Amino acid sequence: MEVVDMIEIKKPENGKLEATTEDVVAELRRRAAFVFVSHVKPDGDTLGAGLALGLALRAMGKRVYYFQQDPVPRNLRFLPDSDRVSRSLPADLPKDALWVFCDMSDTSRAGEYLPPLERRNILDIDHHLANSRFGALNYVLETECSTGTCVLHLLRALGAPITPQIATCLLTTIMTDTGGFVHSNTTADVFRVSAELMDLGADKDEITEKIFANKRFAATRLIGAALESARLERDGKYCWSVVDDAMLVKFEADGEDTEEIIQHLRAVEGVDVAALFKAYEGDVRVSLRSNGRVNVQSAAGRLGGGGHFRASGLTFAGSLDDAVAAVRAALVAEGL
Ligand code: AMP
Ligand code: MN
Ligand code: MN
């Protein structure tokens, strides 16, 4: 499918830069068909947020589809309706279907297979810093811990019943984006909302088991190798490592097995910033994590990426060596 960027950043011709909850709810009621879009290398937030809102809209009799470039990761296949997520769309998709992008700062994060879209058919639900406001309606709540909790505000305003399935999807978004209630976005409200979701039937034990345990043996051995070759620089404030194709082949691992590595690098005593360079499948992708002293969203932004103050990422156009040098320079420029 052709990729056309018909979207002029920050200048909605027929929408609002910042949509209110009421604006979004009115639009959700008005439309009959929806396509939920999640970002490449999907996580529990982008998927859980879309699945939750989609389940509620289906219960209201609406047509709901899920579009995602990459397959659903193994550890998220327990999510209700995740088997309906696909890269293809029905031929009879109505022209006025609303495309709901969850958990991304820009349409480019959805990958290369999006059909051309008109802004008037786009709803942007997100909690990232520096979201480009690419929708006719932009529901961007930067202080929310997950896109799923933005969706929860909409479900309440819609008066949609929160079923156990929806509650599980939403608790997944929270547990994914707070690192299991560990990151600094874990406010008292996050605990209150999580307790409420458990009361509504969210299966916390299943989420814990499927997402935070249940790792393949290959992943454990890959983590070992990546940690063994980690480097410490800048007086012990910067810790980084690499996973490349050869390591994936050696341990019969894949990209989904790399997830946990970065948190071990960041957890080293004295480390302000950790970086993991993922040089496989023809790309050099970089994950950055900060303890809060250095803004890694700004650092990633210098190299075309983005994210949050303490967690960000980017895809580097160039060699691994150049990526290592460029990321170090970007971090130093941000005060590392
Ligand atoms: P990750 O390290 O892949 O878990 O990503 C951490 C954060 O950075 C998430 O909030 C992502 O949405 C964001 N992020 C990762 N890669 C990119 C990218 N290429 N462009 C913009 N944001 C990104
Ligand atoms: Mn995400
Ligand atoms: Mn998120």
Side-chain angles (χ1 to χ4, degrees):
M1 272 191 256
E2 189 191 2
V3 182
V4 180
D5 189 3
M6 300 171 24
I7 293 157
E8 217 180 310
I9 302 304
K10 298 221 170 186
K11 283 186 202 152
E13 318 89 54
N14 45 14
K16 284 192 185 179
L17 193 55
E18 307 291 344
T20 64
T21 305
E22 293 67 36
D23 294 334
V24 179
V25 163
E27 194 65 17
L28 294 175
R29 288 193 196 286
R30 204 169 70 75
R31 302 271 181 150
F34 298 82
V35 182
F36 286 88
V37 184
S38 34
H39 60 67
V40 292
K41 311 283 172 198
D43 54 32
D45 190 24
T46 191
L47 259 169
L51 290 168
L53 187 50
L55 280 161
L57 291 168
R58 280 214 301 141
M60 292 166 67
K62 313 269 188 183
R63 280 175 72 181
V64 171
Y65 302 96
Y66 296 99
F67 175 88
Q68 179 174 283
Q69 169 174 309
D70 296 328
V72 176
R74 289 181 292 275
N75 66 356
L76 294 172
R77 290 189 193 154
F78 74 97
L79 286 172
D81 271 2
S82 61
D83 56 342
R84 306 185 50 180
V85 176
S86 152
R87 186 189 280 185
S88 54
L89 289 162
D92 65 342
L93 182 72
K95 287 249 175 305
D96 66 346
L98 186 66
W99 288 67
V100 186
F101 288 71
C102 289
D103 195 44
M104 62 194 104
S105 311
D106 203 83
T107 53
S108 62
R109 292 276 294 141
E112 299 161 31
Y113 297 90
L114 275 180
L117 297 176
E118 290 179 62
R119 181 193 277 270
R120 68 186 173 84
N121 290 327
I122 294 180
L123 165 61
D124 159 24
I125 308 178
D126 189 27
H127 68 135
H128 283 89
L129 300 177
N131 178 293
S132 64
R133 272 73 176 173
F134 55 87
L137 292 170
N138 301 289
Y139 193 62
V140 181
L141 309 177
E142 291 176 0
T143 57
E144 292 294 329
C145 73
S146 70
T147 300
T149 58
C150 304
V151 163
L152 181 57
H153 294 305
L154 297 173
L155 294 179
R156 284 176 174 150
L158 263 175
I162 297 179
T163 61
Q165 287 191 321
I166 292 175
T168 293
C169 290
L170 293 178
L171 188 59
T172 296
T173 73
I174 294 173
M175 290 178 65
T176 303
D177 273 25
T178 61
F181 305 109
V182 167
H183 303 328
S184 62
N185 56 354
T186 313
T187 58
D189 259 337
V190 166
F191 285 113
R192 276 187 279 271
V193 166
S194 301
E196 192 185 321
L197 291 170
M198 285 181 72
D199 283 341
L200 290 165
D203 193 341
K204 184 224 153 249
D205 286 346
E206 180 170 41
I207 299 168
T208 310
E209 183 55 31
K210 295 280 163 56
I211 299 187
F212 295 96
N214 217 24
K215 305 286 180 193
R216 303 199 301 180
F217 188 51
T220 301
R221 299 182 69 217
L222 181 70
I223 292 169
L227 299 185
E228 207 236 350
S229 57
R231 285 81 148 176
L232 202 56
E233 295 181 1
R234 312 256 343 144
D235 293 329
K237 294 195 299 258
Y238 178 43
C239 189
W240 62 275
S241 193
V242 175
V243 173
D244 61 15
D245 283 308
M247 292 163 79
L248 294 186
V249 170
K250 180 173 177 188
F251 298 111
E252 296 181 36
D254 64 22
E256 291 177 31
D257 297 312
T258 65
E259 255 173 44
E260 216 179 289
I261 298 168
I262 186 90
Q263 69 203 48
H264 294 286
L265 302 175
R266 225 297 284 143
V268 173
E269 179 184 36
V271 165
D272 287 335
V273 177
L276 182 67
F277 295 83
K278 296 179 273 194
Y280 48 74
E281 295 166 2
D283 279 329
V284 181
R285 284 176 299 109
V286 188
S287 287
L288 297 173
R289 298 291 184 272
S290 166
N291 65 354
R293 193 176 71 75
V294 174
N295 182 347
V296 292
Q297 185 263 330
S298 301
R302 288 171 181 268
L303 300 170
H308 308 279
F309 195 101
R310 292 170 182 247
S312 69
L314 61 111
T315 301
F316 189 81
S319 69
L320 172 61
D321 287 347
D322 288 348
V324 169
V327 166
R328 187 188 292 111
L331 290 168
V332 169
E334 291 298 327
L336 179 68

